[in-house]
Amino acid sequence: MAGRAARLVLLAGAAALASGSQGDREPVYRDCVLQCEEQNCSGGALNHFRSRQPIYMSLAGWTCRDDCKYECMWVTVGLYLQEGHKVPQFHGKWPFSRFLFFQEPASAVASFLNGLASLVMLCRYRTFVPASSPMYHTCVAFAWLSGG
């Protein structure tokens, strides 16, 4: 019986965490995204969106839906600020202005540098540690899986 109650508490906690951030739960945001998708992301409007979308955005995988979410995020932020409220998070992240196709350029640069550092260390590891060493292949595989 105690195990069943514990599972129920864990399930309720997981459901609360999965409910989203304040911004993406906001009806104004949800309605804006739905309306934007209806108007811009189907038929001829979608072709128009694709024709005016910069090539680097399409290569990076930004879709019409992503663009609607981004634009509606700023509409919602504007309303929050206008009413004197704090800026909410959206999808677990704080709103950042997009630079090229990066919505969080500092985070993207940090991730790139982290991957570069992992690659350098992997190269050093492979240079100085003999392949016959115990756990050599495990360490190399882990380095690749963890971003190196």
Side-chain angles (χ1 to χ4, degrees):
M1 187 64 124
R4 182 180 262 176
R7 279 188 249 148
L8 185 59
V9 168
L10 285 174
L11 183 61
L17 289 174
S19 65
S21 300
Q22 181 180 352
D24 44 282
R25 286 193 314 257
E26 186 64 46
V28 171
Y29 173 77
R30 290 175 155 195
D31 292 343
C32 177
V33 171
L34 285 174
Q35 186 176 12
C36 178
E37 287 178 342
E38 287 174 4
Q39 291 177 351
N40 301 315
C41 300
S42 61
L46 180 60
N47 291 334
H48 177 68
F49 168 81
R50 289 179 178 154
S51 70
R52 65 180 170 80
Q53 183 183 33
I55 187 76
Y56 60 83
M57 294 287 284
S58 59
L59 290 174
W62 276 80
T63 64
C64 183
R65 179 175 168 80
D66 295 330
D67 205 53
C68 284
K69 287 180 178 181
Y70 179 77
E71 296 299 329
C72 290
M73 174 185 71
W74 287 113
V75 167
T76 307
V77 166
L79 291 172
Y80 264 70
L81 293 175
Q82 186 178 352
E83 296 293 323
H85 299 290
K86 293 180 181 177
V87 174
Q89 285 187 330
F90 292 83
H91 307 285
K93 301 176 186 174
W94 295 107
F96 285 94
S97 293
R98 189 165 52 198
F99 173 71
L100 297 176
F101 53 84
F102 298 109
Q103 190 166 339
E104 298 181 39
S107 176
V109 169
S111 294
F112 174 76
L113 293 175
N114 184 40
L116 188 61
S118 295
L119 184 61
V120 167
M121 292 309 295
L122 175 62
C123 290
R124 285 185 182 175
Y125 180 82
R126 293 181 75 180
T127 300
F128 293 112
V129 177
S132 60
S133 296
M135 300 296 290
Y136 173 87
H137 297 291
T138 303
C139 290
V140 170
F142 179 75
W144 279 113
L145 291 174
S146 66

